[in-house]
Amino acid sequence: QLAEELTFSKKNVYEAADDEKMQKIFDYAEGYKAFLNAAKTEREAVRRGVAMAEAEGFRAYTLGEKLQPGDCRYYNNRDKNLFLFRVGEENLEEDGIRILAAHIDSPRLDLKQNPLYEDSGMGFLKTHYYGGIKKYQWTAIPLALHGVVVTADGKNVDVVIGEDPADPVFYVNDLLPHLAQEQMARPMASAIPGESLNILVGGIPFADDKADNKIKLNVLRILNEKYGICEEDFISAELCAVPAFPARDIGFDRAMIGAYGHDDRVCAYPEITAILAAKETKHTVMSILADKEEIGSIGVTGMQNCLLRDMIDLISTARGACPAVVRAHSMCLSADVNAAFDPNFPEVYERRNSAMISCGTTMSKFTGSRGKSGTSDASAEFVGKVRRIFAENGVMWQTSELGKVDCGGGGTVAMFLANMNIDTVDLGVPVISMHAPYEVVSKADLYTTHEAFVAFLK
Ligand code: MN
Ligand code: MN
């Protein structure tokens, strides 16, 4: 009895769930898988987010627009960064804004601006990888091309090839083991050099005796017929090679989901569903889907952009409130994934302070590396407040750090909100094989993240 009163331990969400809860967990996962398959890039995630919001009565916000309690708006920043918000009845200066902040960009292979060439009977596209990848994982798997090409006359051409089962896919070559003696002896980080991540895109020469680079020419001919683009248009293009795999259930019992880009769409999706569900809230609430987190959150669509401050300024002044006072009373869940303890690699985790899969959404008071460097470290008071919200609403959650103290580290967007005088703590889904082309999460952790966000916005 004393142990029950005084000790604390993690509980498996599946073990605690009744039939009704199990049904909710599994139903919610279906919506998420559909979102994943439709949103493999930040642009596609924004498009999907806008469609979901519009279906619930949200409409586009114009910077500087007058706002009334009950207004539901979205602000689409350059098709790569999305703000969703509801204006509440509560006094903004006393109540602040309740903010959820996730990111919708994921590691991938971006095309270079002069990508196309041919060599030895094969056409290739040069790439420059985006975000922290283990390069060897991106060879010898089917890849799809997603993105946009802006043509010389300013037209936007959307490209998605490799998702429809009838489409061709693309590929990065790897070396056969028979000839890989030297490669296999190299450290993993240098086994696949960045400049060998070239995407195989063709092999039939254009039928003309006089032309040079006939395979390249034939690829350009096909692109021109299908999209109306020419080689120079690659300069003003954002084309990304992403894994062509769809999201699938993992395991005999379907407890988990395998997919590309769980980091961080597994938090972005619950952010959208939570704010759409927050119809009764009296608070002013906001869900942010940010771009560029994987490369430092900088630029016009990253979380360090002044647009975040502008949004808070504009919402505050539209309600006659002082932005500095509103920020001081706002609070934020920085919604990002964390590493799930993996018994196949126990040496890098500290078991007592790791996120355990299926034990619920996980809170990290701090992130960072080498002695908490680079973390905003939430206050005990704020963690206490969030804890009470979860307890009052029956949210199953856990606490974690990434791994062992000296094994590495990482960061999230938390510090950029905290730097604006907004109390912020990290909360999100534990992931197995984070940043791999196919990552794994538990449906139970996904659903409890949605529940946590709903409780926070309530
Ligand atoms: Mn992330
Ligand atoms: Mn990441």
Side-chain angles (χ1 to χ4, degrees), residues 332-404:
C332 173
L333 296 181
S334 162
D336 208 342
V337 299
N338 209 320
F341 179 86
D342 189 337
N344 296 294
F345 305 97
E347 62 281 4
V348 298
Y349 298 94
E350 192 266 284
R351 199 180 267 268
R352 286 176 191 81
N353 287 283
S354 288
M356 292 298 178
I357 196 159
S358 300
C359 286
T361 191
T362 186
M363 182 195 286
S364 299
K365 184 175 176 296
F366 54 86
T367 58
S369 53
R370 290 165 287 102
K372 294 195 179 184
S373 180
T375 179
S376 48
D377 201 351
S379 71
E381 289 82 354
F382 182 56
V383 171
K385 194 169 181 175
V386 175
R387 227 183 104 188
R388 285 195 297 280
I389 292 174
F390 292 165
E392 281 162 15
N393 289 279
V395 176
M396 283 187 77
W397 65 286
Q398 56 182 322
T399 170
S400 63
E401 316 188 8
L402 194 68
K404 273 186 183 164

Side-chain angles (χ1 to χ4, degrees), residues 103 105-107 263-264 293-294 336-337 411 434-435 439:
H103 67 93
D105 59 318
S106 298
D263 178 9
D264 185 32
E293 193 277 343
E294 296 294 357
D336 208 342
V337 299
M434 195 196 296
H435 284 205
E439 305 170 311

Side-chain angles (χ1 to χ4, degrees), residues 78-112:
R78 297 172 169 87
D79 293 330
K80 297 202 267 188
N81 164 214
L82 186 65
F83 292 76
L84 304 169
F85 64 93
R86 287 180 185 274
V87 182
E89 288 166 23
E90 292 274 8
N91 182 311
L92 259 183
E93 288 190 353
E94 288 161 14
D95 195 53
I97 304 177
R98 299 203 171 191
I99 301 170
L100 301 170
H103 67 93
I104 46 177
D105 59 318
S106 298
R108 63 186 184 228
L109 306 178
D110 281 347
L111 295 200
K112 292 190 182 190

Side-chain angles (χ1 to χ4, degrees), residues 61 65-71 85-99 282-286 310-331 422:
Y61 169 70
E65 187 186 328
K66 287 203 171 69
L67 294 167
Q68 297 300 325
D71 284 347
F85 64 93
R86 287 180 185 274
V87 182
E89 288 166 23
E90 292 274 8
N91 182 311
L92 259 183
E93 288 190 353
E94 288 161 14
D95 195 53
I97 304 177
R98 299 203 171 191
I99 301 170
K282 294 199 162 42
H283 307 294
T284 295
V285 296
M286 179 187 275
D310 289 345
M311 290 295 294
I312 296 172
D313 282 2
L314 291 168
I315 293 170
S316 301
T317 49
R319 301 295 306 133
C322 168
V325 180
V326 172
R327 280 189 277 113
H329 294 108
S330 293
M331 52 185 191
I422 297 171

